[in-house]
Amino acid sequence: LGDAGKVVEKKLANTADRVIMNLPSEALKYVKSACKGVKASGGTIHYYTFIGEGEEGKAVEKFKNQVLKAGRMVKKVEEVKLVREIAPRRYQLAVDAFIV
């Protein structure tokens, strides 16, 4: 239990095949920690965020940029999916990406 950024750094670095980032309002802040948790050989990050209508591409690019800032690279975006509508023309978005 604890702050994900701190726990990954201390106990979970380089251990995960998959990281599920299911707090859409804060996920972008923790992409660096998620990248640290993924094994050096690569793994999948399931990233969730909130977007406005038609902003899927913009959200994927923001995610990719944060992965690059963390010193990793998105090898393949496996799926981009609208999960649900949260308000008129506002959505929860899921991005599944394999990073190396």
Side-chain angles (χ1 to χ4, degrees), residues 60-75:
V60 171
E61 287 308 309
K62 280 185 181 180
F63 171 72
K64 285 181 174 182
N65 287 335
Q66 288 302 111
V67 170
L68 284 173
K69 285 182 183 179
R72 305 293 292 261
M73 182 183 79
V74 173
K75 185 173 183 179

Side-chain angles (χ1 to χ4, degrees), residues 33-95:
S33 296
C35 288
K36 285 183 181 180
V38 171
K39 291 179 180 177
S41 59
T44 299
I45 294 180
H46 302 280
Y47 169 79
Y48 293 84
T49 191
F50 294 127
I51 63 166
E53 190 170 50
E55 294 179 346
E56 294 91 340
K58 184 178 174 181
V60 171
E61 287 308 309
K62 280 185 181 180
F63 171 72
K64 285 181 174 182
N65 287 335
Q66 288 302 111
V67 170
L68 284 173
K69 285 182 183 179
R72 305 293 292 261
M73 182 183 79
V74 173
K75 185 173 183 179
K76 180 181 179 187
V77 174
E78 296 168 337
E79 185 173 10
V80 177
K81 179 180 174 183
L82 291 178
V83 176
R84 64 190 172 111
E85 188 172 22
I86 60 165
R89 295 179 294 284
R90 296 276 307 155
Y91 302 90
Q92 181 180 3
L93 180 77
V95 178

Side-chain angles (χ1 to χ4, degrees), residues 2-13:
D3 180 292
K6 294 176 185 174
V7 172
V8 168
E9 192 75 35
K10 291 180 182 178
K11 299 179 181 179
L12 299 173

